[in-house]
Amino acid sequence: MKRIKTLLFLSMSLFLSMSLFLTGFLASCATRDFEVSDLAKSDIDLVADAFITAEESLLKSLMIMVV
């Protein structure tokens, strides 16, 4: 019986936290012009920034090896 109560409590907590997260997400989207392309663009920017950072790091290590 105690296990059922624990599982019920965990499932209700998960449901509540997901509801609050989605409510906050939708509210933030409603405060400005929201477009799905903005999400994709930000993901692409993150990947590009990571690539540029890795490239710079490799070039610096190459320059240290050459000198």
Side-chain angles (χ1 to χ4, degrees), residues 4 6 11-14 17 22 25 29 31 35-36 38-39 41-42 45 48 50-53 56 60:
I4 293 173
T6 304
S11 64
M12 291 302 288
S13 298
L14 179 65
S17 62
L22 289 175
F25 179 73
C29 292
T31 58
E35 295 181 15
V36 176
D38 292 341
L39 290 176
K41 183 177 179 185
S42 64
D45 290 341
F51 178 76
I52 290 170
T53 304
E56 289 174 350
K60 285 180 185 177

Side-chain angles (χ1 to χ4, degrees), residues 6-33:
T6 304
L7 289 174
L8 183 62
F9 173 75
L10 290 174
S11 64
M12 291 302 288
S13 298
L14 179 65
F15 177 74
L16 180 63
S17 62
M18 290 295 292
S19 298
L20 290 174
F21 173 76
L22 289 175
T23 302
F25 179 73
L26 292 175
S28 67
C29 292
T31 58
R32 63 179 181 91
D33 294 335

